[in-house]
Amino acid sequence: MIDTKALINDFDRVSELLCIKKVSEDTLKALKDLAIAYKSTKQELESLQAFQNKGSQKLGLWFRSDGCQDLIDDLKSQLDENKKKMNNVESRLKTIEAELENLAYTIPNLPDSATPKGEDESDNIELKKVLEPRIFDFTPKEHWELGV
């Protein structure tokens, strides 16, 4: 799977490398946008969770110290509203994460910088040849026939 951090931080280099593997720049831009949306939504959820944790601690302290009932009721309503926001953001985060994973799995890994550009394997460069292919006086079996 493609590294989304590398895609966000160095989009031009990643898109140049993946153009060798015929990945469109539009697809990469969509993936980058999804990765940024995922990151910001996750940060939003974490800040809501931090507020929830701090508010719950305060609420517990105020209950034990017999604090002002008006403050307790106000904090309870804030925490209830915050829980609803957390649920909405969490469901949005799951949706974005699923879209991000689906798109990221369709994109190949980054090729090595020495990989030649080409349409298929016929454009590859032969670096060295070890031995010559054997020539048989019979038709050899396919690999799947040998295991039977």
Side-chain angles (χ1 to χ4, degrees):
M1 190 165 91
I2 187 169
D3 182 16
T4 55
K5 289 180 185 176
L7 181 69
I8 292 170
N9 295 334
D10 197 4
F11 181 78
D12 294 333
R13 184 184 72 82
V14 171
S15 76
E16 181 181 315
L17 287 172
L18 285 174
C19 119
I20 293 172
K21 293 201 171 190
K22 307 294 181 216
V23 177
S24 73
E25 194 170 323
D26 294 336
T27 304
L28 293 175
K29 284 181 182 177
L31 182 65
K32 180 182 176 183
D33 293 342
L34 277 173
I36 291 171
Y38 175 78
K39 186 176 179 180
S40 65
T41 307
K42 190 169 184 177
Q43 288 173 346
E44 182 183 353
L45 179 64
E46 288 172 355
S47 68
L48 290 172
Q49 288 171 335
F51 176 78
Q52 190 75 19
N53 291 340
K54 287 179 185 176
S56 296
Q57 286 176 349
K58 278 184 188 177
L59 195 61
L61 289 173
W62 289 352
F63 267 129
R64 279 179 260 152
S65 65
D66 292 328
C68 179
Q69 190 61 35
D70 291 339
L71 290 175
I72 291 174
D73 292 340
D74 184 44
L75 185 58
K76 273 186 180 179
S77 65
Q78 287 178 7
L79 291 176
D80 289 340
E81 187 176 318
N82 190 56
K83 275 187 184 179
K84 291 176 186 175
K85 286 180 187 177
M86 280 176 47
N87 288 335
N88 291 337
V89 171
E90 194 170 6
S91 66
R92 195 172 68 212
L93 182 68
K94 286 180 182 179
T95 304
I96 293 171
E97 184 177 23
E99 290 176 22
L100 180 67
E101 283 183 5
N102 287 337
L103 187 56
Y105 284 133
T106 64
I107 297 174
N109 290 330
L110 296 177
D112 188 63
S113 58
T115 303
K117 291 184 180 181
E119 292 296 318
D120 57 17
E121 64 186 37
S122 64
D123 293 328
N124 289 344
I125 300 168
E126 187 175 299
L127 298 177
K128 73 177 184 176
K129 198 172 201 175
V130 178
L131 302 173
E132 290 293 322
R134 293 180 70 184
I135 299 173
F136 299 103
D137 57 351
F138 59 93
T139 305
K141 291 184 176 181
E142 296 291 339
H143 69 277
W144 59 82
E145 293 173 338
L146 292 174
V148 179

